[in-house]
Amino acid sequence: DIVMTQTPLSSPVTLGQPASISCRSSQSLVHSDGTTYLSWLHQRPGQPPRLLIYRISRRLSGVPDRFSGSGAGTDFTLKISRVEPEDVGVYYCMQSLQFPFTFGPGTKVDIK
Amino acid sequence: QVQLVQSGAEVKKPGTSVKVACKASGGTFSRSSINWVRQTPGQGLEWMGVIIPTYATPTYARAFQDRVTITADESTTTAYMELSGLTSTDTAVYYCARYLDAMDVWGQGTSVTVSS
């Protein structure tokens, strides 16, 4: 199974300031078709996860452009350019290259 | 706009089974895959399995393959996840999620509590 790790596991942030989360996979997430199957999800307390970004950097329709994804191979980053109050919660990276799909442990973002 | 609506919360005794429903509306059901993911209290997300309704052949995570059955009924656009041999460690919120390039639509979650 592909193991996903994230750093940090907790990130207190200041409103209006940037935030960054790193994700690493135990093997490359590049498919033979050239697509990299790495996505980012956000979960607020009491709610289901919500997809933010897929294929490393593609924002789902309606996701604010303050969210951006980057990376390649086994190392990926989610950046929030200016943290807003609604951005608190837990962020997960996820690989869907192969079964079983696996998730990172989550990074909890809260306001300082 | 696809929506997934799951069945309500369940309380089960150890050793019994639970069956959770996930009804899709507003979009293409048959050709997209429906995944099941669970989240144990205070823990992260764990993928359980997937089905593409048109093909009806599920794939299961090794951790669950002896206990889980995932099915889909195209006529009612509903997917089901049944988990047997419940123990207290199966107490969790169970989600269904559609996959098209990524898990882009999620159900609201179904809480399953296993307690004697």
Side-chain angles (χ1 to χ4, degrees), chain A residues 11-15 17-20 83 88 109-112:
Chain A
S11 180
V13 297
T14 302
L15 289 175
Q17 294 300 304
S20 179
V83 174
V88 300
V109 172
D110 57 12
I111 306 301
K112 281 182 185 173

Side-chain angles (χ1 to χ4, degrees), chain A residues 4-47:
Chain A
M4 306 296 290
T5 56
Q6 290 180 231
T7 54
L9 297 182
S10 179
S11 180
V13 297
T14 302
L15 289 175
Q17 294 300 304
S20 179
I21 300 169
S22 295
C23 172
R24 178 168 288 179
S25 56
S26 61
Q27 63 189 75
S28 173
L29 300 184
V30 183
H31 191 272
S32 56
D33 66 4
T35 302
T36 301
Y37 289 95
L38 183 281
S39 54
W40 290 95
L41 304 107
H42 175 219
Q43 185 176 34
R44 299 187 181 107
Q47 294 190 13

Side-chain angles (χ1 to χ4, degrees), chain B residues 6-73:
Chain B
Q6 298 181 222
S7 50
E10 303 263 13
V11 178
K12 294 292 184 178
K13 300 284 189 191
T16 63
S17 300
V18 67
K19 191 170 187 177
V20 181
C22 171
K23 181 167 177 60
S25 62
T28 301
F29 175 74
S30 296
R31 282 171 286 173
S32 55
S33 71
I34 300 294
N35 292 258
W36 288 89
V37 175
R38 81 174 184 181
Q39 186 167 37
T40 48
Q43 299 301 309
L45 302 165
E46 185 175 22
W47 183 81
M48 301 177 69
V50 61
I51 192 167
I52 300 175
T54 294
Y55 303 121
T57 302
T59 298
Y60 302 129
R62 256 191 314 278
F64 299 100
Q65 65 183 18
D66 292 336
R67 300 196 293 134
V68 71
T69 303
I70 296 174
T71 56
D73 183 339

Side-chain angles (χ1 to χ4, degrees), chain A residues 1 37 39 41 43 47-51 54-55 58 60 92 94 96 99-101 103 105, chain B residues 35 37 39 43-47 50 59 61-62 95 99 101-104 106-109:
Chain A
D1 298 0
Y37 289 95
S39 54
L41 304 107
Q43 185 176 34
Q47 294 190 13
R50 177 177 75 116
L51 179 67
Y54 62 103
R55 295 194 186 187
R58 299 186 181 189
L60 193 68
Y92 297 94
M94 175 198 149
S96 52
F99 296 136
F101 293 167
F103 299 84
Chain B
N35 292 258
V37 175
Q39 186 167 37
Q43 299 301 309
L45 302 165
E46 185 175 22
W47 183 81
V50 61
T59 298
R62 256 191 314 278
Y95 295 102
Y99 185 95
D101 273 344
M103 290 192 192
D104 63 340
W106 291 68
Q108 82 276 21

